[in-house]
Every structure is written in structure tokens, then in C-alpha cells.
């Protein structure tokens, strides 16, 4: 594989304060070399060694590729009518998930694969180089397994979300559905390459006891734990995530002081999904309180057809700064190093020696422009595994 020199970098965001200035570890007038898919050298542009290929950043900012640790890309159908109804005043309840389940079950593999490819490429063009993909719109043994097989074609970070909602055929039989999820569906998910297990622990979905049972059996099967927690109101999700040493508690929209303290005192990342609040006109998560308490915060898109139909991490960064009182540096860190922590990955989300060679070049001199110029396509170049995309 050819080595790549990226030089004339005006602002290099390494993502590690040990490698530069401030919390983002910023270096000026810098260069780096990627060889064999990894960052091999970082230093001043004037000292850069030779490489097989050269990318001139022309004074622009270079950042680690974004790490989107929460998305739902395996689906069929459209819920724009639901969005229009919300904009006219109808509240979001999560009930539309069953609509997508019906459309997903009716779609063939090629339709699902094409939709995942479209959205994954859309995200990649906007700088997302690592992306978690969940199942959760099949909710049968066969459909969850095929969703995970398709997701695995696009990412190693695949999550089994059979416990998204209780499907219509199991209405009033939640215990029976939980048994299915914990038994044949989990076995099929593991066989389809799932790395994680997740539960929508929320009113109208799964309570604390059912969620604990599902997550525990998943962990016993070797899957990492993630939790959809406290999106629609205060509830047990965050505390359950911390209890089970989950990698992340996702949404965290409605938090008590005890929830914030629990997250701050744990290794569980608070993954915030501001696209969902934007799309559902809900209150934004208390990012400032979480950060000030010492919790690790990640940003992710929650890309899905119902409550957050965006694949844009730059958009989420801008929302986090404008609506959640995060600084631009905090938002960029959450979209890179924070997302990596939510996936328990040490090789992505930063640009230091040994990290994976994933980066983005902005049409801007500083990372601040991601929030300063919202909605503008600032990503000019994406490098994935040391290769120009």
C-alpha cells in the first residue's frame, strides 16, 4: 500500500492534548504521513519526509474522521408524513417505528442493501469514517439476522436492536417477545456478526426488568452493551446502562442529577443525538451539565427515517454548539474521540502516531467553522484507511 503525505496543514486537530495545544491537541503548519493504513509520522510541514503520494492541504484545517456511534441505516420506506405532522404540532411518541418495520420486512435484500449504501456513502462524503449501524426494523428472527448481515457489509460496528419495540404480532405478549429476543433471535444475531446489543429502555417500549434481562443475556453471549436511555422522559435507562457497564447510554435527553452523577462516575459514555431533538421539537440534552460533571460525551446522528433523518455529523456539531452550550472544541471532540470512546475504540477518532489513517480536510482554516458556518459543505477531502475517497 502506498504511503501518503498530508502537508501544508494550517490547523491539525490531533484529538490528543499530549500532541498539541489545548484539549484538541492542535498543531500549526503541520504535516503527517500515513503508511500501511496508520499514521506513521507527525511534525512540522518543513520537516516532512517523502512519501509515495502527496496531499496539499493548502493551509486548511485537518481533523480526524468523524465517528458516528449511533445510526439505524437498515430500513425501507419513508416517514415524511409523520415529520410533517410533528411540524404541525403532533408530539413524537416512537409509535412510527412499527410503520418502518412493516416496510422493512416487505423489502428484499437488494433494496435494503442499496439504502444502506446510499446513506453510508452520504455520511462518508460528509466526513464520517467510522459508523455504527443497528438492526431493529426487522423484529423477527429472520429479518433481524438479515439486517445485521447487510449492516456488516458496511461496518464492523453492528448492533443487535431486536428490542426496539414490541412488534404488532406480539401486542399484549411482551414476555413472549422478550423470550424470543433472548433466545432464537439473539442466536441468529450472533451468527450474523453482531458486535453489540441494544435496548430501547423507555415507556412504550421495554421496562427496566425486560431491558436488564435482554442486555444481560446479550453480554453473556459476548456482545458489548449499549442502551437507548431517557429519550422521552426520565426513566431507568441511564442507571441501567451504568449498572451493566454499557459502552454508552444514548439520547440522555431527560436526566436527573443522579443520572448525571452516575454517568460522570462511570466509563459509560453519554451519547447525545441532537438531530432527534431538532426533528421532534424536543428539549435538547443537558450537555453542559454532563461535561461540567466530568462525563464523557459523544455526538452521533441517530440517522433513521422517523426521528432524525440526517447523516451529517457537521450538522450535529453545529446543533451541539448552538443549542446545547458546547464549545466548538468540545463538539468536535465529542464527534471524534467521544464517538470512539462510545465504541470502545482506541484506533479511531484521533490523529496521533499509530491511529488509523482516517481524516478530513475542511474548506476552512479552523475546526470552529463547522459550527460557525452551519449547513455549508466544508468537507473537501476524505481519507479513509490512508486512501483518498
Amino acid at each position: 500500500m502506498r504511503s501518503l503525505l498530508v502537508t501544508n496543514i494550517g490547523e491539525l486537530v490531533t484529538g490528543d492534548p499530549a500532541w498539541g495545544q489545548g484539549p484538541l491537541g492542535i498543531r500549526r503548519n503541520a504535516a503527517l504521513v500515513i503508511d500501511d493504513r496508520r499514521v506513521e509520522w507527525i511534525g512540522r510541514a518543513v520537516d516532512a519526509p517523502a512519501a509515495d503520494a502527496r496531499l496539499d492541504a493548502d493551509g486548511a484545517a485537518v481533523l480526524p474522521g468523524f465517528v458516528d456511534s449511533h445510526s439505524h441505516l437498515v430500513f425501507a420506506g419513508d416517514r415524511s408524513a409523520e415529520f410533517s405532522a410533528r411540524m404541525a404540532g403532533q408530539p413524537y411518541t416512537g409509535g412510527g417505528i412499527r410503520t418502518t418495520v412493516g416496510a422493512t420486512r416487505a423489502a428484499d435484500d437488494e433494496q435494503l442493501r442499496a439504502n444502506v449504501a446510499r446513506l453510508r456513502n452520504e455520511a462518508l462524503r460528509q466526513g464520517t469514517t467510522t459508523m455504527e449501524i443497528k438492526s431493529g426494523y426487522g423484529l423477527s428472527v429472520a429479518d433481524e439476522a438479515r439486517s445485521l448481515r447487510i449492516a456488516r457489509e458496511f461496518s464492523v460496528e453492528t448492533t443487535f436492536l431486536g428490542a426496539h419495540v414490541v412488534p404488532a404480532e406480539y401486542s399484549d405478549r411482551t414476555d413472549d417477545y422478550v423470550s424470543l429476543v433472548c433466545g432464537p433471535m439473539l442466536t441468529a444475531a450472533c451468527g450474523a456478526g453482531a458486535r453489540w446489543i441494544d435496548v430501547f429502555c423507555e415507556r412504550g417500549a421495554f421496562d427496566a426488568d425486560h431491558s436488564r434481562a435482554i442486555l444481560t443475556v446479550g453480554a453473556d453471549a459476548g456482545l458489548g452493551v449499549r442502551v437507548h436511555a431517557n429519550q422521552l422522559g426520565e426513566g431507568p435507562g441511564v442507571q441501567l446502562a451504568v449498572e451493566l457497564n454499557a459502552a454508552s447510554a444514548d439520547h440522555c435527553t431527560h436526566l436527573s442529577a443522579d443520572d448525571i452523577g452516575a454517568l460522570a462516575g462511570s466509563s459509560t459514555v453519554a451519547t447525545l443525538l441532537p438531530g432527534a431533538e431538532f426533528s421532534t421539537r424536543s428539549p435538547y440534552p443537558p450537555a453542559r451539565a454532563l461535561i461540567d460533571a466530568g462525563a464523557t460525551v459523544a455526538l452521533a446522528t441517530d440517522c433513521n427515517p422517523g426521528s432524525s433523518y440526517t447523516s451529517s455529523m457537521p450538522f450535529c456539531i453545529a446543533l451541539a454548539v448552538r443549542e446545547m452550550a458546547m464549545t466548538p472544541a468540545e463538539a468536535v471532540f465529542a464527534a471524534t474521540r467521544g464517538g470512539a470512546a462510545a465504541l470502545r475504540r482506541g484506533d479511531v477518532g484521533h490523529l496521533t502516531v499509530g491511529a488509523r489513517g482516517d481524516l478530513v480536510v475542511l474548506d476552512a482554516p479552523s475546526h470552529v467553522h463547522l459550527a460557525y458556518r452551519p449547513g455549508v459543505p466544508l468537507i473537501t477531502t476524505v481519507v479513509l484507511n490512508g486512501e483518498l475517497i
Side-chain angles (χ1 to χ4, degrees):
M1 186 173 182
R2 297 194 310 162
S3 59
L4 174 67
L5 167 64
V6 185
T7 190
N8 292 329
I9 302 170
E11 177 187 90
L12 173 62
V13 174
T14 68
D16 189 332
W19 284 79
Q21 297 178 339
L24 289 180
I26 290 174
R27 300 174 75 108
R28 309 286 179 185
N29 303 314
L32 62 83
V33 174
I34 301 170
D35 195 9
D36 194 23
R37 303 176 184 269
R38 301 280 173 169
V39 178
E40 181 183 71
W41 179 89
I42 294 173
R44 299 189 305 166
V46 294
D47 299 326
D52 298 323
R54 186 176 187 270
L55 172 62
D56 191 337
D58 196 24
V62 170
L63 287 73
F66 302 124
V67 180
D68 186 349
S69 60
H70 184 127
S71 79
H72 306 252
L73 303 190
V74 190
F75 68 86
D78 177 90
R79 282 160 62 187
S80 56
E82 178 187 320
F83 175 79
S84 293
R86 281 202 305 276
M87 296 305 101
Q90 180 176 307
Y92 176 71
T93 65
I97 291 171
R98 285 182 174 178
T99 302
T100 301
V101 170
T104 302
R105 288 177 174 181
D108 62 32
D109 287 5
E110 286 308 310
Q111 289 174 297
L112 296 179
R113 183 174 291 110
N115 197 48
V116 177
R118 174 180 65 87
L119 292 170
R120 181 65 191 96
N121 289 333
E122 188 178 274
L124 184 60
R125 291 194 303 271
Q126 297 175 89
T128 298
T129 51
T130 301
M131 196 168 198
E132 180 259 18
I133 304 175
K134 302 180 191 296
S135 66
Y137 291 122
L139 307 189
S140 70
V141 173
D143 285 304
E144 284 295 293
R146 75 163 176 153
S147 293
L148 287 162
R149 284 194 298 269
I150 291 168
R152 185 77 179 187
E153 295 175 19
F154 298 89
S155 177
V156 298
E157 302 294 347
T158 56
T159 298
F160 168 45
L161 184 58
H164 201 179
V165 294
V166 177
E169 64 269 27
Y170 280 88
S171 293
D172 302 319
R173 293 193 295 136
T174 300
D175 288 347
D176 291 342
Y177 183 66
V178 169
S179 295
L180 179 71
V181 172
C182 291
M185 196 180 288
L186 174 63
T187 299
C190 290
R195 183 182 177 207
W196 303 94
I197 188 167
D198 196 348
V199 172
F200 190 21
C201 182
E202 193 70 65
R203 66 175 186 266
F206 297 89
D207 64 20
D209 290 339
H210 284 141
S211 297
R212 182 180 290 104
I214 293 165
L215 295 170
T216 299
V217 73
D220 289 345
L223 302 183
V225 174
R226 327 184 68 74
V227 184
H228 277 63
N230 298 51
Q231 178 186 6
L232 304 180
E234 288 190 24
V238 163
Q239 297 290 337
L240 180 62
V242 172
E243 172 194 328
L244 298 179
N245 190 32
S248 67
D250 297 35
H251 284 288
C252 296
T253 310
H254 300 275
L255 301 180
S256 67
D258 287 344
D259 293 330
I260 293 171
L263 287 165
S266 75
S267 62
T268 299
V269 175
T271 299
L272 311 183
L273 311 170
E277 280 72 46
F278 178 87
S279 181
T280 61
R281 286 185 171 162
S282 301
Y284 285 89
R288 185 76 267 143
L290 286 162
I291 293 169
D292 290 346
T296 301
V297 169
L299 290 173
T301 63
D302 191 21
C303 184
N304 76 83
S307 61
S308 184
Y309 202 8
T310 180
S311 59
S312 175
M313 289 291 279
F315 173 65
C316 293
I317 289 170
L319 284 180
V321 173
R322 173 62 180 83
E323 302 292 345
M324 290 166 24
M326 295 175 73
T327 68
E330 288 169 341
V332 167
F333 190 93
T336 53
R337 204 69 184 260
L343 295 173
R344 293 193 168 158
R345 295 277 296 272
D347 60 330
V348 296
H350 60 109
L351 290 172
T352 62
V353 171
R356 203 170 77 176
D358 298 346
L359 60 82
V360 297
V361 182
L362 302 186
D363 182 16
S366 167
H367 67 280
V368 176
H369 283 238
L370 289 166
Y372 178 45
R373 304 196 67 209
V376 177
L378 293 179
I379 310 299
T380 61
T381 306
V382 179
V383 174
L384 178 64
N385 281 321
E387 295 284 347
L388 289 167
I389 299 302

